[in-house]
């Protein structure tokens, strides 16, 4: 089976941008701060430029964290769009702990139908598409993009942990998230907590390494869209805490509601 064309384009974009990120990661780099005081490095910009180079050939509009703001009056006319975070986990990138990702998603009528999450430092590539499911592969010396699907492992690939395992943000653990975890402790005798950066938390649930990822703190659509697709096509749920339905994308407000992945 061949990979769908748009998925293949997204994977190539993620791999090339990941290589550019690592070139900067392995050298000295400066950190700037955006108007909301979130950090920005030249790796964010380099990755954005590479991804846009690939995706613009699809003639599908692109919504990227590092791209220009696009008014909702324009975006609401889009049936399909790419949603991109060129470097998710910039704080983890700056700390040099390896827990940062490239996130590329395609959304159709507010639902993710393609997701690519690549961890350049760990060489883990997660990808998903609505017609084929979700997969993971380690990018090593045997990697061949023309044989990608055959070499990849279908998700979920691990048995659900015996202990109820919750994965939470390494940098953004809110009081509300802690309260939710405390409630789960009343239901489950033994709970294991794992802290992880970036969209790797979603991927851990998709793999079967974690049972649950609660997020009761702000996130943006580009933080979650790709990981959402990985979870969705691995048979997992990404539930909006307000609507109690699946989290939706390309909304008027690009800040997500709180959500739970399980």
């Amino acid at each position: 089976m061949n990979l769908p064309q748009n998925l293949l384009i997204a994977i190539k974009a993620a791999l090339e941008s990941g290589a550019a990120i690592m070139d900067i990661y392995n050298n000295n780099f400066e950190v700037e701060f955006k108007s909301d005081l979130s950090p920005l490095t030249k790796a964010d910009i380099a990755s954005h430029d590479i991804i846009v180079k690939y995706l613009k050939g699809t003639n599908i509009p692109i919504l990227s964290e590092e791209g220009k703001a696009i008014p909702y009056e324009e975006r609401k006319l889009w049936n399909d769009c790419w949603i991109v975070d060129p470097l998710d986990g910039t704080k983890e990138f700056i700390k040099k702990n390896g827990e940062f990702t490239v996130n590329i998603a395609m959304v159709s009528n507010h639902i993710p139908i393609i997701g690519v999450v690549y961890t350049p430092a760990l060489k883990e590539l997660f990808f998903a598409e609505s017609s084929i499911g979700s997969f993971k592969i380690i990018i090593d010396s045997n990697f061949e993009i023309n044989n990608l699907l055959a070499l990849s492992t279908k998700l979920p690939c691990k048995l659900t942990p015996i202990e109820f395992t919750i994965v939470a943000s390494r940098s953004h653990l809110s009081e509300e998230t802690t309260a939710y975890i405390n409630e789960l402790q009343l239901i489950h005798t033994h709970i294991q907590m794992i802290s992880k950066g970036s969209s790797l938390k979603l991927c851990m649930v998709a793999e079967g390494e974690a049972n649950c990822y609660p997020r009761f703190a702000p996130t943006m659509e580009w933080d979650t869209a790709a990981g959402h697709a990985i979870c969705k096509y691995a048979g997992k749920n990404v539930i909006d805490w307000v609507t109690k339905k699946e989290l939706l994308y390309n909304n008027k407000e690009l800040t997500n509601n709180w959500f739970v992945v399980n």
Side-chain angles (χ1 to χ4, degrees):
M1 179 191 298
N2 294 325
L3 288 173
Q5 184 62 23
N6 283 333
L7 174 59
L8 183 60
I9 290 169
I11 289 171
K12 289 179 177 179
L15 295 176
E16 185 174 324
S17 62
I21 287 169
M22 290 308 295
D23 285 342
I24 297 166
Y25 182 75
N26 291 323
N27 292 283
N28 294 325
F29 55 85
E30 295 181 356
V31 180
E32 301 176 7
F33 291 89
K34 294 185 278 189
S35 59
D36 63 357
L37 300 182
S38 60
L40 177 71
T41 71
K42 62 181 181 180
D44 297 79
I45 304 303
S47 179
H48 167 83
D49 290 345
I50 290 167
I51 292 168
V52 168
K53 176 187 72 174
Y54 276 91
L55 299 188
K56 68 181 181 181
T58 66
N59 294 318
I60 296 169
I62 304 166
L63 180 61
S64 172
E65 179 178 16
E66 306 309 338
K68 67 176 183 179
I70 302 171
Y72 180 64
E73 289 303 308
E74 179 180 344
R75 291 191 291 106
K76 72 179 183 180
L77 303 176
W78 298 351
N79 290 323
D80 301 324
C81 67
W82 294 102
I83 299 184
V84 174
D85 193 339
L87 179 51
D88 182 25
T90 303
K91 290 181 180 178
E92 317 307 329
F93 177 86
I94 294 166
K95 293 175 187 175
K96 292 202 168 186
N97 66 15
E99 295 180 4
F100 51 88
T101 59
V102 176
N103 299 342
I104 303 175
M106 182 189 286
V107 168
S108 182
N109 296 315
H110 308 288
I111 299 292
I113 60 169
I114 287 175
V116 176
V117 174
Y118 180 49
T119 62
L122 306 177
K123 302 293 186 184
E124 296 177 334
L125 174 67
F126 299 85
F127 61 94
E129 199 267 349
S130 57
S131 67
I132 63 171
S134 297
F135 296 84
K136 177 185 179 181
I137 186 172
I138 305 298
I139 304 300
D140 58 18
S141 57
N142 296 319
F143 171 74
E144 296 179 16
I145 197 160
N146 293 330
N147 202 25
L148 179 63
L149 205 55
L151 296 171
S152 301
T153 301
K154 194 168 177 59
L155 303 181
C157 58
K158 299 185 179 181
L159 295 175
T160 302
I162 295 174
E163 286 189 312
F164 192 86
T165 302
I166 302 169
V167 62
S169 173
R170 188 177 295 283
S171 301
H172 304 280
L173 186 61
S174 68
E175 291 182 7
E176 293 85 355
T177 305
T178 302
Y180 180 78
I181 292 168
N182 291 338
E183 289 180 13
L184 289 177
Q185 288 177 326
L186 300 176
I187 301 171
H188 302 279
T189 306
H190 300 287
I191 284 186
Q192 179 186 14
M193 278 285 299
I194 300 175
S195 294
K196 191 71 74 170
S198 69
S199 57
L200 289 172
K201 297 179 288 294
L202 289 134
C203 293
M204 286 184 68
V205 177
E207 278 191 271
E209 282 197 14
N211 300 83
C212 179
Y213 164 35
R215 182 61 181 242
F216 300 153
T219 57
M220 302 300 292
E221 290 191 3
W222 42 73
D223 295 322
T224 59
H228 183 157
I230 307 296
C231 287
K232 180 178 178 67
Y233 301 112
K236 309 297 181 178
N237 302 299
V238 181
I239 301 300
D240 185 313
W241 190 250
V242 176
T243 67
K244 308 304 180 187
K245 297 179 180 179
E246 185 173 10
L247 200 64
L248 300 177
Y249 294 88
N250 192 27
N251 298 298
K252 183 175 183 179
E253 299 297 331
L254 295 173
T255 303
N256 292 323
N257 288 334
W258 293 353
F259 61 85
V260 174
V261 185
N262 54 32

